[in-house]
Amino acid sequence: MHAFLEALAHPLQKEAKALRALILEVSSDVLEEIKWNAPSFRTTEHFATFNLRSREHLRLVLHLGAKVKATAKTGIQVADPSGLVEWLAPDRGLVTVRDTKDFQRQREALQTLLREWIRWV
């Protein structure tokens, strides 16, 4: 993963590295790999994947693995008092990081959110 991010030609490469480090700090159970042509993170299943298509921001897609689960209909409950998540589906969300300042502002809330999120995988 380190080599992937070092070779990443993205204006927010520094923020991508910081986001990766934040995700790995959430739990010692978090593993990483390249999946779907982007950094992806898992415990028992994948739960978050970078979306690096935009040059203007980073996006972190929060999901519950590749297979459809009952939560696709029932949804999940995670606390998001900072309003970081843009809900794409009942069990899929998107967090956007626009720049370093935005990342620093979101850092603590994002770690809390990710700790709750991984309880669902």
Side-chain angles (χ1 to χ4, degrees), residues 1-10 13 16-17 20 32-40 50 52:
M1 180 77 69
H2 178 71
F4 180 91
L5 290 176
E6 283 300 319
L8 183 64
H10 194 285
Q13 179 192 42
K17 290 177 181 179
R20 171 190 176 251
E32 59 184 332
E33 63 186 291
I34 302 299
K35 189 166 179 89
W36 302 298
N37 203 26
S40 190
F50 281 25
L52 301 167

Side-chain angles (χ1 to χ4, degrees), residues 4-49:
F4 180 91
L5 290 176
E6 283 300 319
L8 183 64
H10 194 285
L12 297 173
Q13 179 192 42
K14 182 176 84 172
E15 291 79 1
K17 290 177 181 179
L19 182 56
R20 171 190 176 251
L22 178 141
I23 295 167
L24 293 174
E25 291 171 5
V26 167
S27 168
S28 61
D29 294 332
V30 174
L31 302 171
E32 59 184 332
E33 63 186 291
I34 302 299
K35 189 166 179 89
W36 302 298
N37 203 26
S40 190
F41 304 86
R42 66 181 177 87
T43 55
T44 56
E45 292 192 54
H46 288 268
F47 65 87
T49 303

Side-chain angles (χ1 to χ4, degrees), residues 23-89:
I23 295 167
L24 293 174
E25 291 171 5
V26 167
S27 168
S28 61
D29 294 332
V30 174
L31 302 171
E32 59 184 332
E33 63 186 291
I34 302 299
K35 189 166 179 89
W36 302 298
N37 203 26
S40 190
F41 304 86
R42 66 181 177 87
T43 55
T44 56
E45 292 192 54
H46 288 268
F47 65 87
T49 303
F50 281 25
N51 177 321
L52 301 167
R53 289 183 214 132
S54 174
R55 310 278 300 151
E56 297 174 12
H57 52 257
L58 295 174
R59 288 191 162 164
L60 184 66
V61 180
L62 302 175
H63 53 84
L64 300 176
K67 295 180 182 176
V68 177
K69 297 177 181 61
T71 55
K73 290 186 181 188
T74 62
I76 63 171
Q77 297 293 318
V78 293
D80 181 24
S82 298
L84 298 179
V85 180
E86 173 188 342
W87 290 98
L88 305 173

